[in-house]
Amino acid sequence: KILELEPDLIIGLNGIENADKLAEIAPTVLFTYGKVDYLQQFIEIGKVVNKEKEATAWVADFKTRAAEAGKKIKEKIGEDATVTVAENFNKQFYIYGDNWGRGTEILYQEMGLKMPEKVKETALEPGYYAISQEVLGEYAGDYVIFSMFQDQDNSFTDAAWFKDLEAVKNGHLFEVNANAFYFNDPITLEHQLKFFEEKFLQ
């Protein structure tokens, strides 16, 4: 399939299979995910395609815009307000640290919003932490960004324990399309930033 595309360059992750065969098709550059931070990763890819200057300029601009949005959000919700990022997948809930996609990089790293202590204790170091649905309330902050796959069983939103969450009762639970929020590439980051500005500042 890749051969049919006749690529001039192949970029991938270092864990992919048949990397040696790919290198026979075209020059192949493999990256180790997490070796550098998410924005530096974009700059590294920029270097490969001779667009380092453009990539670096975008990163600087993005950081500025995200920080400004974070300042406005903190002014509105309060410096001490906490935010939890959660996801439903195969009837299992996950909560996330500050570098696992789903908007976590923007919320925690760029905007400097606070993570609930229990999320910090369990999810910050590994990046994510699996919990059962009914204990979400123990990890839920003042605001919850809830990542949902539309093809999953999301009937829990009708459950009494879910409706009883403070974030739900206060209108502070924001559902996001998991497929659109999954990654931390520039296109996804722009989408996430716009979403947070609209939801938190509306």
Side-chain angles (χ1 to χ4, degrees):
K1 290 280 186 188
I2 293 174
L3 190 60
E4 287 171 13
L5 296 171
E6 299 180 359
D8 297 307
L9 171 70
I10 298 171
I11 295 175
L13 290 173
N14 68 342
I16 60 173
E17 296 176 7
N18 302 317
D20 52 339
K21 289 195 170 62
L22 291 176
E24 291 174 14
I25 298 171
T28 300
V29 180
L30 303 180
F31 288 98
T32 303
Y33 184 77
K35 190 171 182 179
V36 295
D37 72 47
Y38 75 113
L39 293 174
Q40 186 60 39
Q41 180 68 77
F42 181 55
I43 293 172
E44 295 303 317
I45 293 170
K47 291 177 184 176
V48 174
V49 295
N50 200 26
K51 296 280 185 183
E52 181 182 1
K53 188 178 173 185
E54 292 90 332
T56 303
W58 179 85
V59 165
D61 177 60
F62 177 77
K63 285 179 78 72
T64 299
R65 287 184 287 124
E68 285 173 357
K71 188 179 174 187
K72 289 177 188 170
I73 289 170
K74 279 189 272 192
E75 283 172 2
K76 183 174 180 190
I77 70 174
E79 289 280 342
D80 295 324
T82 55
V83 181
T84 297
V85 177
E87 186 174 275
N88 172 46
F89 185 72
N90 281 346
K91 296 186 178 180
Q92 178 78 64
F93 279 11
Y94 296 88
I95 53 170
Y96 293 93
D98 66 356
N99 66 342
W100 215 262
R102 288 114 175 133
T104 56
E105 292 87 356
I106 298 177
L107 293 168
Y108 302 127
Q109 293 185 42
E110 306 309 327
M111 292 183 172
L113 299 181
K114 292 195 173 176
M115 190 183 288
E117 281 303 315
K118 194 153 185 180
V119 174
K120 199 181 288 185
E121 289 167 13
T122 53
L124 185 57
E125 198 171 320
Y128 65 93
Y129 183 70
I131 60 172
S132 59
Q133 293 184 349
E134 294 78 8
V135 300
L136 178 62
E138 296 175 24
Y139 298 86
D142 300 306
Y143 290 80
V144 176
I145 308 300
F146 206 97
S147 185
M148 293 173 72
F149 291 94
Q150 298 312 307
D151 59 350
Q152 300 279 317
D153 176 9
N154 295 319
S155 58
F156 62 85
T157 56
D158 295 322
W161 63 263
F162 185 82
K163 290 179 178 177
D164 205 39
L165 293 172
E166 286 299 314
V168 173
K169 289 194 286 191
N170 294 329
H172 293 168
L173 184 138
F174 306 142
E175 289 181 15
V176 301
N177 178 334
N179 291 315
F181 252 68
Y182 204 81
F183 301 108
N184 56 18
D185 59 277
I187 293 171
T188 303
L189 290 168
E190 290 285 9
H191 171 66
Q192 291 168 345
L193 180 57
K194 186 179 178 189
F195 179 90
F196 294 144
E197 288 175 319
E198 288 174 356
K199 289 295 181 181
F200 281 105
L201 298 174
Q202 65 185 359

